[in-house]
Amino acid sequence: MSAEQSSKILILWTSGEKETALDMVFMYAMNSLIHGWWDEVTVLVWGASTRLAAEDIEVQHRISTAIEDGVRVIACRRCAENLSVTGQLEELGIEVFYTGEFLTGWLRSGDKLLTV
């Protein structure tokens, strides 16, 4: 990757579908690091994905593995509060904070964004 290209990607995960989480979000995030496609990979849990992350054991395992392997996983605190799952997400090692300003900064930065 050339110096002019961003080496960071944010995967904005909003889908509540388990297949999307397993066969796209975390598959791509993990392979991105393994194969060196991106130097930094961040997954933002937002919207419907919040409940899935808090409740599904297989998805939770994938999240934990991704974090252990270097993927940064963050979540929208407002979404977590609305669903009363803040504690569950934090127990998984997910950084939970109000993400509006973070996302706005990312969008303005020109770094890459993938939405699912």
Side-chain angles (χ1 to χ4, degrees), residues 104-116:
T104 300
W106 194 282
L107 293 169
R108 288 183 176 162
S109 75
D111 286 324
K112 302 302 180 194
L113 174 71
L114 176 63
T115 59
V116 292

Side-chain angles (χ1 to χ4, degrees), residues 15-58:
S15 170
E17 296 177 3
K18 182 175 180 174
E19 293 81 7
T20 300
L22 299 178
D23 295 331
M24 190 285 149
V25 174
F26 290 99
M27 183 185 299
Y28 184 75
M30 297 294 294
N31 280 318
S32 291
L33 290 179
I34 291 168
H35 297 291
W37 301 332
W38 302 100
D39 293 331
E40 295 178 30
V41 178
T42 302
V43 173
L44 171 52
V45 181
W46 209 29
S49 63
T50 306
R51 184 182 311 277
L52 183 63
E55 296 178 352
D56 188 279
I57 302 274
E58 189 174 5

Side-chain angles (χ1 to χ4, degrees), residues 75-95:
C76 170
R77 180 168 291 280
R78 177 61 64 212
C79 297
E81 289 172 346
N82 288 346
L83 296 169
S84 302
V85 297
T86 305
Q88 291 97 309
L89 298 181
E90 291 174 335
E91 287 175 14
L92 290 170
I94 297 173
E95 300 172 53

